[in-house]
Amino acid sequence: QVQLVESGGGLVQAGGSLTLSCAASGSIFSRNVMGWYRQAPGKQRELVAAITSGGSTNYADSVKGRFTISRDNAKNTVYLQMNSLKPEDTAVYYCSAYIRTLPYYWGQGTQVTVSS
């Protein structure tokens, strides 16, 4: 059984920073790709960033240079450091554990609101 619990969301002004955490339980965290997705009002859920068990990362073009995904396998936690936040970053952010190449397990989401 895999459980993912996000935390760290909140309200921040444009240009500010926020760090999201996703605490995972279960047996697959250390060996699976982990990702952060977001869903803004009126938009489809989109990939923000992903990280493999070996540390390779992938980012959406819209967040490259501003966001950093990382993982601490000893703590079963994945992080998303968000800098230079923009109002367009406002969304519910979800972490996910992949099965093979697709996100499969999902957290409950955490709201990030960036004010202009």
Side-chain angles (χ1 to χ4, degrees):
Q1 296 180 347
V2 175
Q3 293 177 299
L4 305 171
V5 181
E6 302 98 332
S7 62
L11 176 64
V12 63
Q13 294 183 1
S17 298
L18 205 60
T19 299
L20 305 182
S21 299
C22 177
S25 63
S27 61
I28 67 172
F29 177 82
S30 64
R31 70 194 75 171
N32 282 69
V33 175
M34 300 292 294
W36 285 98
Y37 287 72
R38 67 187 181 188
Q39 187 165 24
K43 299 180 65 177
Q44 295 183 359
R45 188 172 298 188
E46 64 177 352
L47 173 69
V48 177
I51 184 168
T52 70
S53 61
S56 296
T57 58
N58 187 50
Y59 297 92
D61 288 342
S62 59
V63 307
K64 287 180 179 177
R66 300 190 298 121
F67 291 10
T68 302
I69 187 172
S70 62
R71 64 195 297 166
D72 186 338
N73 290 337
K75 297 181 179 180
N76 283 4
T77 302
V78 61
Y79 305 94
L80 185 68
Q81 175 66 49
M82 304 183 293
N83 299 321
S84 301
L85 283 162
K86 305 174 181 179
E88 304 94 274
D89 297 317
T90 295
V92 177
Y93 284 70
Y94 301 88
C95 66
S96 180
Y98 284 46
I99 298 295
R100 298 177 67 183
T101 62
L102 294 173
Y104 188 81
Y105 299 101
W106 296 90
Q108 83 286 354
T110 185
Q111 177 71 47
V112 172
T113 302
V114 184
S115 62
S116 60

Short mmCIF file of all heavy atoms in Angstrom, two decimals, residues 29-93:
data_model
loop_
_atom_site.label_atom_id
_atom_site.label_comp_id
_atom_site.label_asym_id
_atom_site.label_seq_id
_atom_site.Cartn_x
_atom_site.Cartn_y
_atom_site.Cartn_z
N PHE A 29 8.78 3.73 -2.79
CA PHE A 29 9.26 5.09 -2.92
C PHE A 29 10.69 5.18 -3.41
O PHE A 29 11.00 5.95 -4.32
CB PHE A 29 9.12 5.84 -1.60
CG PHE A 29 9.66 7.24 -1.65
CD1 PHE A 29 8.91 8.28 -2.16
CD2 PHE A 29 10.95 7.52 -1.20
CE1 PHE A 29 9.41 9.57 -2.22
CE2 PHE A 29 11.46 8.81 -1.25
CZ PHE A 29 10.69 9.83 -1.76
N SER A 30 11.57 4.43 -2.82
CA SER A 30 12.98 4.56 -3.12
C SER A 30 13.36 4.14 -4.53
O SER A 30 14.40 4.55 -5.04
CB SER A 30 13.82 3.77 -2.11
OG SER A 30 13.56 2.38 -2.21
N ARG A 31 12.53 3.36 -5.15
CA ARG A 31 12.86 2.81 -6.45
C ARG A 31 12.00 3.36 -7.59
O ARG A 31 12.23 3.01 -8.75
CB ARG A 31 12.77 1.29 -6.42
CG ARG A 31 11.36 0.75 -6.30
CD ARG A 31 11.35 -0.71 -5.94
NE ARG A 31 11.68 -0.90 -4.51
CZ ARG A 31 11.58 -2.04 -3.86
NH1 ARG A 31 11.18 -3.13 -4.51
NH2 ARG A 31 11.90 -2.12 -2.58
N ASN A 32 11.04 4.18 -7.29
CA ASN A 32 10.11 4.67 -8.29
C ASN A 32 10.38 6.12 -8.68
O ASN A 32 10.86 6.91 -7.88
CB ASN A 32 8.67 4.57 -7.79
CG ASN A 32 8.12 3.16 -7.87
OD1 ASN A 32 8.56 2.29 -7.13
ND2 ASN A 32 7.16 2.94 -8.76
N VAL A 33 10.01 6.42 -9.91
CA VAL A 33 9.95 7.82 -10.32
C VAL A 33 8.88 8.52 -9.49
O VAL A 33 7.79 7.98 -9.26
CB VAL A 33 9.62 7.94 -11.82
CG1 VAL A 33 9.42 9.40 -12.21
CG2 VAL A 33 10.72 7.30 -12.66
N MET A 34 9.19 9.73 -9.06
CA MET A 34 8.25 10.56 -8.33
C MET A 34 8.02 11.84 -9.11
O MET A 34 8.95 12.36 -9.73
CB MET A 34 8.75 10.88 -6.93
CG MET A 34 9.01 9.68 -6.05
SD MET A 34 7.47 8.83 -5.59
CE MET A 34 6.68 10.09 -4.58
N GLY A 35 6.82 12.33 -9.07
CA GLY A 35 6.51 13.54 -9.81
C GLY A 35 5.65 14.50 -9.03
O GLY A 35 4.96 14.13 -8.09
N TRP A 36 5.74 15.75 -9.45
CA TRP A 36 4.82 16.78 -8.99
C TRP A 36 3.99 17.24 -10.17
O TRP A 36 4.53 17.54 -11.24
CB TRP A 36 5.57 17.97 -8.40
CG TRP A 36 6.14 17.74 -7.03
CD1 TRP A 36 7.41 17.39 -6.72
CD2 TRP A 36 5.43 17.84 -5.80
NE1 TRP A 36 7.55 17.28 -5.36
CE2 TRP A 36 6.35 17.55 -4.77
CE3 TRP A 36 4.11 18.16 -5.45
CZ2 TRP A 36 5.99 17.57 -3.42
CZ3 TRP A 36 3.76 18.17 -4.11
CH2 TRP A 36 4.70 17.88 -3.12
N TYR A 37 2.70 17.28 -9.97
CA TYR A 37 1.75 17.79 -10.95
C TYR A 37 0.97 18.93 -10.33
O TYR A 37 0.92 19.08 -9.10
CB TYR A 37 0.79 16.68 -11.38
CG TYR A 37 1.40 15.64 -12.29
CD1 TYR A 37 2.31 14.70 -11.80
CD2 TYR A 37 1.06 15.59 -13.64
CE1 TYR A 37 2.86 13.74 -12.63
CE2 TYR A 37 1.61 14.62 -14.48
CZ TYR A 37 2.51 13.71 -13.97
OH TYR A 37 3.05 12.76 -14.80
N ARG A 38 0.36 19.71 -11.18
CA ARG A 38 -0.50 20.76 -10.67
C ARG A 38 -1.73 20.91 -11.56
O ARG A 38 -1.70 20.59 -12.75
CB ARG A 38 0.24 22.10 -10.57
CG ARG A 38 0.64 22.70 -11.91
CD ARG A 38 1.51 23.92 -11.68
NE ARG A 38 1.90 24.55 -12.93
CZ ARG A 38 2.77 25.54 -13.04
NH1 ARG A 38 3.35 26.03 -11.92
NH2 ARG A 38 3.08 26.06 -14.21
N GLN A 39 -2.78 21.38 -10.96
CA GLN A 39 -4.01 21.64 -11.69
C GLN A 39 -4.54 23.00 -11.27
O GLN A 39 -4.92 23.20 -10.12
CB GLN A 39 -5.06 20.56 -11.44
CG GLN A 39 -6.30 20.70 -12.31
CD GLN A 39 -7.14 19.45 -12.32
OE1 GLN A 39 -7.09 18.64 -11.39
NE2 GLN A 39 -7.91 19.27 -13.37
N ALA A 40 -4.52 23.92 -12.21
CA ALA A 40 -5.01 25.26 -11.98
C ALA A 40 -6.49 25.34 -12.33
O ALA A 40 -7.00 24.51 -13.10
CB ALA A 40 -4.22 26.27 -12.82
N PRO A 41 -7.18 26.32 -11.80
CA PRO A 41 -8.60 26.46 -12.12
C PRO A 41 -8.83 26.54 -13.62
O PRO A 41 -8.18 27.33 -14.32
CB PRO A 41 -8.99 27.77 -11.43
CG PRO A 41 -8.02 27.89 -10.30
CD PRO A 41 -6.74 27.34 -10.84
N GLY A 42 -9.73 25.73 -14.12
CA GLY A 42 -10.07 25.74 -15.53
C GLY A 42 -9.05 25.10 -16.45
O GLY A 42 -9.21 25.20 -17.67
N LYS A 43 -8.03 24.47 -15.90
CA LYS A 43 -6.99 23.86 -16.72
C LYS A 43 -6.84 22.38 -16.39
O LYS A 43 -7.26 21.91 -15.34
CB LYS A 43 -5.66 24.58 -16.51
CG LYS A 43 -5.66 26.04 -16.91
CD LYS A 43 -4.31 26.69 -16.69
CE LYS A 43 -3.25 26.10 -17.59
NZ LYS A 43 -1.94 26.80 -17.42
N GLN A 44 -6.22 21.67 -17.31
CA GLN A 44 -5.93 20.27 -17.09
C GLN A 44 -4.75 20.11 -16.14
O GLN A 44 -3.91 20.99 -16.02
CB GLN A 44 -5.63 19.57 -18.42
CG GLN A 44 -6.79 19.52 -19.39
CD GLN A 44 -6.45 18.75 -20.65
OE1 GLN A 44 -5.32 18.28 -20.82
NE2 GLN A 44 -7.41 18.63 -21.53
N ARG A 45 -4.70 18.95 -15.49
CA ARG A 45 -3.55 18.65 -14.67
C ARG A 45 -2.32 18.50 -15.56
O ARG A 45 -2.38 17.87 -16.62
CB ARG A 45 -3.80 17.38 -13.87
CG ARG A 45 -2.72 17.07 -12.84
CD ARG A 45 -3.11 15.91 -11.95
NE ARG A 45 -4.32 16.18 -11.18
CZ ARG A 45 -4.80 15.40 -10.23
NH1 ARG A 45 -4.16 14.28 -9.91
NH2 ARG A 45 -5.92 15.72 -9.60
N GLU A 46 -1.22 19.08 -15.12
CA GLU A 46 -0.01 19.06 -15.92
C GLU A 46 1.20 18.68 -15.08
O GLU A 46 1.25 18.93 -13.87
CB GLU A 46 0.24 20.43 -16.56
CG GLU A 46 0.49 21.55 -15.56
CD GLU A 46 0.80 22.88 -16.21
OE1 GLU A 46 0.97 22.92 -17.45
OE2 GLU A 46 0.87 23.89 -15.48
N LEU A 47 2.16 18.08 -15.73
CA LEU A 47 3.41 17.73 -15.07
C LEU A 47 4.20 18.99 -14.76
O LEU A 47 4.37 19.85 -15.62
CB LEU A 47 4.24 16.81 -15.96
CG LEU A 47 5.65 16.49 -15.45
CD1 LEU A 47 5.59 15.61 -14.21
CD2 LEU A 47 6.47 15.81 -16.53
N VAL A 48 4.68 19.08 -13.54
CA VAL A 48 5.57 20.16 -13.14
C VAL A 48 7.01 19.69 -13.16
O VAL A 48 7.89 20.33 -13.74
CB VAL A 48 5.20 20.69 -11.74
CG1 VAL A 48 6.19 21.77 -11.30
CG2 VAL A 48 3.78 21.22 -11.73
N ALA A 49 7.27 18.57 -12.51
CA ALA A 49 8.62 18.04 -12.41
C ALA A 49 8.56 16.58 -12.04
O ALA A 49 7.60 16.12 -11.41
CB ALA A 49 9.46 18.81 -11.39
N ALA A 50 9.59 15.85 -12.42
CA ALA A 50 9.69 14.44 -12.06
C ALA A 50 11.14 14.11 -11.76
O ALA A 50 12.05 14.76 -12.27
CB ALA A 50 9.14 13.55 -13.17
N ILE A 51 11.33 13.09 -10.96
CA ILE A 51 12.68 12.68 -10.58
C ILE A 51 12.73 11.17 -10.49
O ILE A 51 11.85 10.53 -9.93
CB ILE A 51 13.12 13.35 -9.26
CG1 ILE A 51 14.57 12.99 -8.92
CG2 ILE A 51 12.16 12.99 -8.12
CD1 ILE A 51 15.14 13.85 -7.80
N THR A 52 13.77 10.59 -11.05
CA THR A 52 13.95 9.15 -10.99
C THR A 52 14.64 8.75 -9.70
O THR A 52 15.12 9.58 -8.93
CB THR A 52 14.79 8.65 -12.17
OG1 THR A 52 16.15 9.09 -12.02
CG2 THR A 52 14.24 9.16 -13.50
N SER A 53 14.69 7.45 -9.47
CA SER A 53 15.37 6.96 -8.28
C SER A 53 16.85 7.32 -8.29
O SER A 53 17.45 7.45 -7.22
CB SER A 53 15.21 5.44 -8.17
OG SER A 53 15.77 4.78 -9.29
N GLY A 54 17.41 7.48 -9.48
CA GLY A 54 18.81 7.85 -9.61
C GLY A 54 19.08 9.33 -9.61
O GLY A 54 20.24 9.74 -9.68
N GLY A 55 18.03 10.15 -9.54
CA GLY A 55 18.21 11.58 -9.44
C GLY A 55 18.07 12.35 -10.73
O GLY A 55 18.23 13.57 -10.73
N SER A 56 17.79 11.69 -11.83
CA SER A 56 17.54 12.41 -13.08
C SER A 56 16.23 13.16 -12.97
O SER A 56 15.25 12.64 -12.43
CB SER A 56 17.50 11.45 -14.26
OG SER A 56 18.75 10.82 -14.45
N THR A 57 16.19 14.36 -13.50
CA THR A 57 15.02 15.22 -13.36
C THR A 57 14.49 15.68 -14.70
O THR A 57 15.21 15.73 -15.70
CB THR A 57 15.32 16.44 -12.49
OG1 THR A 57 16.41 17.18 -13.08
CG2 THR A 57 15.71 16.02 -11.08
N ASN A 58 13.24 16.04 -14.69
CA ASN A 58 12.58 16.62 -15.85
C ASN A 58 11.63 17.68 -15.36
O ASN A 58 10.93 17.48 -14.36
CB ASN A 58 11.83 15.55 -16.64
CG ASN A 58 11.27 16.07 -17.95
OD1 ASN A 58 11.98 16.70 -18.72
ND2 ASN A 58 9.99 15.81 -18.19
N TYR A 59 11.58 18.81 -16.07
CA TYR A 59 10.75 19.93 -15.66
C TYR A 59 9.91 20.44 -16.82
O TYR A 59 10.33 20.41 -17.98
CB TYR A 59 11.60 21.11 -15.16
CG TYR A 59 12.42 20.81 -13.94
CD1 TYR A 59 13.72 20.34 -14.03
CD2 TYR A 59 11.88 21.02 -12.67
CE1 TYR A 59 14.47 20.08 -12.90
CE2 TYR A 59 12.63 20.76 -11.53
CZ TYR A 59 13.91 20.29 -11.65
OH TYR A 59 14.66 20.04 -10.52
N ALA A 60 8.75 20.93 -16.47
CA ALA A 60 7.98 21.66 -17.45
C ALA A 60 8.73 22.92 -17.84
O ALA A 60 9.42 23.53 -17.01
CB ALA A 60 6.61 22.03 -16.89
N ASP A 61 8.62 23.31 -19.10
CA ASP A 61 9.32 24.50 -19.55
C ASP A 61 8.96 25.73 -18.72
O ASP A 61 9.81 26.61 -18.50
CB ASP A 61 9.01 24.77 -21.02
CG ASP A 61 9.67 23.77 -21.95
OD1 ASP A 61 10.62 23.09 -21.54
OD2 ASP A 61 9.22 23.68 -23.12
N SER A 62 7.73 25.79 -18.26
CA SER A 62 7.27 26.96 -17.55
C SER A 62 7.92 27.14 -16.18
O SER A 62 7.85 28.23 -15.61
CB SER A 62 5.75 26.90 -17.38
OG SER A 62 5.36 25.74 -16.67
N VAL A 63 8.54 26.09 -15.65
CA VAL A 63 9.13 26.19 -14.32
C VAL A 63 10.64 25.99 -14.32
O VAL A 63 11.27 26.13 -13.26
CB VAL A 63 8.49 25.20 -13.33
CG1 VAL A 63 6.97 25.36 -13.32
CG2 VAL A 63 8.88 23.76 -13.65
N LYS A 64 11.22 25.70 -15.45
CA LYS A 64 12.67 25.50 -15.51
C LYS A 64 13.40 26.74 -15.03
O LYS A 64 13.08 27.86 -15.41
CB LYS A 64 13.10 25.16 -16.94
CG LYS A 64 12.74 23.76 -17.38
CD LYS A 64 13.21 23.49 -18.81
CE LYS A 64 12.86 22.08 -19.23
NZ LYS A 64 13.24 21.81 -20.64
N GLY A 65 14.38 26.51 -14.19
CA GLY A 65 15.14 27.61 -13.63
C GLY A 65 14.53 28.20 -12.38
O GLY A 65 15.20 29.00 -11.70
N ARG A 66 13.30 27.86 -12.08
CA ARG A 66 12.62 28.39 -10.89
C ARG A 66 12.32 27.32 -9.86
O ARG A 66 12.37 27.60 -8.66
CB ARG A 66 11.32 29.09 -11.29
CG ARG A 66 11.51 30.26 -12.24
CD ARG A 66 10.21 31.05 -12.41
NE ARG A 66 9.15 30.24 -13.00
CZ ARG A 66 7.98 29.98 -12.42
NH1 ARG A 66 7.73 30.47 -11.21
NH2 ARG A 66 7.08 29.24 -13.03
N PHE A 67 11.98 26.13 -10.31
CA PHE A 67 11.60 25.04 -9.42
C PHE A 67 12.69 23.98 -9.39
O PHE A 67 13.36 23.74 -10.40
CB PHE A 67 10.30 24.38 -9.88
CG PHE A 67 9.07 25.22 -9.73
CD1 PHE A 67 9.12 26.57 -9.43
CD2 PHE A 67 7.82 24.64 -9.92
CE1 PHE A 67 7.97 27.33 -9.31
CE2 PHE A 67 6.66 25.39 -9.80
CZ PHE A 67 6.74 26.73 -9.50
N THR A 68 12.82 23.32 -8.27
CA THR A 68 13.76 22.22 -8.12
C THR A 68 13.08 21.06 -7.41
O THR A 68 12.56 21.23 -6.31
CB THR A 68 15.01 22.63 -7.33
OG1 THR A 68 15.66 23.73 -7.99
CG2 THR A 68 15.99 21.46 -7.24
N ILE A 69 13.10 19.91 -8.03
CA ILE A 69 12.58 18.71 -7.40
C ILE A 69 13.75 17.93 -6.82
O ILE A 69 14.83 17.86 -7.41
CB ILE A 69 11.77 17.85 -8.40
CG1 ILE A 69 11.08 16.69 -7.68
CG2 ILE A 69 12.64 17.35 -9.54
CD1 ILE A 69 10.10 15.92 -8.57
N SER A 70 13.53 17.36 -5.66
CA SER A 70 14.55 16.55 -5.02
C SER A 70 13.87 15.46 -4.21
O SER A 70 12.66 15.50 -3.97
CB SER A 70 15.47 17.40 -4.14
OG SER A 70 14.74 18.02 -3.09
N ARG A 71 14.66 14.49 -3.80
CA ARG A 71 14.11 13.42 -2.97
C ARG A 71 15.12 12.99 -1.93
O ARG A 71 16.33 13.06 -2.14
CB ARG A 71 13.68 12.23 -3.84
CG ARG A 71 14.81 11.52 -4.58
CD ARG A 71 14.28 10.61 -5.69
NE ARG A 71 13.46 9.53 -5.17
CZ ARG A 71 12.67 8.76 -5.90
NH1 ARG A 71 12.57 8.97 -7.22
NH2 ARG A 71 11.97 7.79 -5.35
N ASP A 72 14.60 12.57 -0.81
CA ASP A 72 15.40 12.03 0.27
C ASP A 72 14.84 10.65 0.56
O ASP A 72 13.84 10.51 1.25
CB ASP A 72 15.33 12.93 1.50
CG ASP A 72 16.25 12.49 2.61
OD1 ASP A 72 16.64 11.30 2.64
OD2 ASP A 72 16.61 13.33 3.46
N ASN A 73 15.48 9.66 0.01
CA ASN A 73 14.96 8.30 0.14
C ASN A 73 14.99 7.80 1.57
O ASN A 73 14.15 7.00 1.97
CB ASN A 73 15.73 7.35 -0.77
CG ASN A 73 15.43 7.59 -2.24
OD1 ASN A 73 14.39 8.13 -2.60
ND2 ASN A 73 16.36 7.18 -3.10
N ALA A 74 15.95 8.28 2.36
CA ALA A 74 16.02 7.87 3.75
C ALA A 74 14.80 8.34 4.53
O ALA A 74 14.39 7.70 5.50
CB ALA A 74 17.29 8.39 4.39
N LYS A 75 14.24 9.47 4.11
CA LYS A 75 13.06 10.02 4.77
C LYS A 75 11.77 9.73 4.01
O LYS A 75 10.70 10.16 4.43
CB LYS A 75 13.20 11.53 4.94
CG LYS A 75 14.35 11.94 5.83
CD LYS A 75 14.42 13.46 5.97
CE LYS A 75 15.55 13.88 6.89
NZ LYS A 75 15.64 15.35 7.03
N ASN A 76 11.89 9.02 2.90
CA ASN A 76 10.72 8.73 2.06
C ASN A 76 9.96 10.01 1.72
O ASN A 76 8.73 10.06 1.81
CB ASN A 76 9.80 7.73 2.74
CG ASN A 76 10.31 6.30 2.67
OD1 ASN A 76 11.40 6.04 2.17
ND2 ASN A 76 9.52 5.37 3.16
N THR A 77 10.70 11.01 1.30
CA THR A 77 10.10 12.31 1.05
C THR A 77 10.62 12.89 -0.26
O THR A 77 11.81 12.78 -0.56
CB THR A 77 10.40 13.29 2.20
OG1 THR A 77 9.91 12.73 3.43
CG2 THR A 77 9.72 14.62 1.96
N VAL A 78 9.73 13.50 -1.00
CA VAL A 78 10.09 14.23 -2.20
C VAL A 78 9.70 15.68 -2.00
O VAL A 78 8.68 15.98 -1.36
CB VAL A 78 9.43 13.62 -3.46
CG1 VAL A 78 7.91 13.67 -3.37
CG2 VAL A 78 9.93 14.32 -4.72
N TYR A 79 10.52 16.59 -2.53
CA TYR A 79 10.33 18.01 -2.32
C TYR A 79 10.20 18.74 -3.64
O TYR A 79 10.70 18.30 -4.67
CB TYR A 79 11.52 18.61 -1.56
CG TYR A 79 11.83 17.94 -0.25
CD1 TYR A 79 12.78 16.93 -0.18
CD2 TYR A 79 11.19 18.32 0.92
CE1 TYR A 79 13.08 16.31 1.02
CE2 TYR A 79 11.48 17.71 2.12
CZ TYR A 79 12.43 16.71 2.17
OH TYR A 79 12.72 16.10 3.36
N LEU A 80 9.54 19.86 -3.58
CA LEU A 80 9.52 20.78 -4.70
C LEU A 80 9.80 22.17 -4.17
O LEU A 80 8.95 22.77 -3.50
CB LEU A 80 8.17 20.76 -5.43
CG LEU A 80 8.09 21.61 -6.69
CD1 LEU A 80 9.00 21.02 -7.79
CD2 LEU A 80 6.66 21.72 -7.19
N GLN A 81 11.00 22.65 -4.44
CA GLN A 81 11.37 24.01 -4.06
C GLN A 81 10.95 24.94 -5.18
O GLN A 81 11.39 24.78 -6.32
CB GLN A 81 12.88 24.10 -3.83
CG GLN A 81 13.38 25.51 -3.56
CD GLN A 81 12.87 26.08 -2.26
OE1 GLN A 81 12.95 25.42 -1.22
NE2 GLN A 81 12.33 27.29 -2.30
N MET A 82 10.13 25.90 -4.86
CA MET A 82 9.57 26.81 -5.84
C MET A 82 10.05 28.22 -5.53
O MET A 82 9.77 28.75 -4.45
CB MET A 82 8.05 26.76 -5.85
CG MET A 82 7.49 25.35 -6.09
SD MET A 82 5.69 25.33 -6.18
CE MET A 82 5.27 25.77 -4.48
N ASN A 83 10.76 28.80 -6.46
CA ASN A 83 11.27 30.16 -6.33
C ASN A 83 10.67 31.05 -7.41
O ASN A 83 10.17 30.57 -8.42
CB ASN A 83 12.79 30.18 -6.42
CG ASN A 83 13.47 29.38 -5.35
OD1 ASN A 83 13.04 29.38 -4.19
ND2 ASN A 83 14.56 28.70 -5.70
N SER A 84 10.78 32.34 -7.20
CA SER A 84 10.29 33.32 -8.17
C SER A 84 8.88 32.99 -8.62
O SER A 84 8.57 32.97 -9.82
CB SER A 84 11.24 33.39 -9.37
OG SER A 84 12.54 33.74 -8.97
N LEU A 85 8.03 32.74 -7.67
CA LEU A 85 6.67 32.31 -7.98
C LEU A 85 5.89 33.39 -8.71
O LEU A 85 6.05 34.59 -8.46
CB LEU A 85 5.95 31.90 -6.71
CG LEU A 85 6.35 30.53 -6.18
CD1 LEU A 85 5.96 30.37 -4.71
CD2 LEU A 85 5.69 29.43 -7.02
N LYS A 86 5.05 32.92 -9.61
CA LYS A 86 4.21 33.78 -10.42
C LYS A 86 2.75 33.45 -10.16
O LYS A 86 2.43 32.32 -9.76
CB LYS A 86 4.50 33.57 -11.91
CG LYS A 86 5.95 33.75 -12.31
CD LYS A 86 6.15 33.38 -13.77
CE LYS A 86 7.59 33.53 -14.19
NZ LYS A 86 7.79 33.13 -15.62
N PRO A 87 1.86 34.39 -10.39
CA PRO A 87 0.43 34.08 -10.25
C PRO A 87 0.00 32.88 -11.08
O PRO A 87 -0.90 32.14 -10.67
CB PRO A 87 -0.25 35.37 -10.72
CG PRO A 87 0.73 36.44 -10.40
CD PRO A 87 2.08 35.82 -10.67
N GLU A 88 0.64 32.67 -12.21
CA GLU A 88 0.33 31.53 -13.07
C GLU A 88 0.66 30.20 -12.42
O GLU A 88 0.22 29.15 -12.91
CB GLU A 88 1.08 31.64 -14.40
CG GLU A 88 0.82 32.93 -15.15
CD GLU A 88 1.88 33.98 -14.84
OE1 GLU A 88 1.71 34.70 -13.83
OE2 GLU A 88 2.85 34.08 -15.61
N ASP A 89 1.43 30.21 -11.35
CA ASP A 89 1.76 28.98 -10.63
C ASP A 89 0.65 28.56 -9.68
O ASP A 89 0.73 27.48 -9.09
CB ASP A 89 3.05 29.15 -9.85
CG ASP A 89 4.25 29.40 -10.74
OD1 ASP A 89 4.37 28.72 -11.79
OD2 ASP A 89 5.08 30.25 -10.39
N THR A 90 -0.34 29.39 -9.50
CA THR A 90 -1.44 29.07 -8.61
C THR A 90 -2.15 27.81 -9.09
O THR A 90 -2.59 27.72 -10.23
CB THR A 90 -2.44 30.24 -8.54
OG1 THR A 90 -1.80 31.37 -7.95
CG2 THR A 90 -3.65 29.86 -7.71
N ALA A 91 -2.25 26.84 -8.20
CA ALA A 91 -2.84 25.56 -8.55
C ALA A 91 -2.86 24.67 -7.32
O ALA A 91 -2.26 24.99 -6.30
CB ALA A 91 -2.04 24.87 -9.66
N VAL A 92 -3.56 23.57 -7.44
CA VAL A 92 -3.42 22.49 -6.48
C VAL A 92 -2.27 21.62 -6.97
O VAL A 92 -2.27 21.18 -8.12
CB VAL A 92 -4.71 21.67 -6.33
CG1 VAL A 92 -4.50 20.51 -5.37
CG2 VAL A 92 -5.85 22.56 -5.84
N TYR A 93 -1.32 21.38 -6.10
CA TYR A 93 -0.15 20.59 -6.45
C TYR A 93 -0.27 19.20 -5.86
O TYR A 93 -0.57 19.03 -4.68
CB TYR A 93 1.12 21.26 -5.93
CG TYR A 93 1.54 22.45 -6.77
CD1 TYR A 93 0.80 23.62 -6.75
CD2 TYR A 93 2.67 22.38 -7.58
CE1 TYR A 93 1.17 24.70 -7.54
CE2 TYR A 93 3.05 23.46 -8.36
CZ TYR A 93 2.29 24.62 -8.34
OH TYR A 93 2.66 25.69 -9.12
#
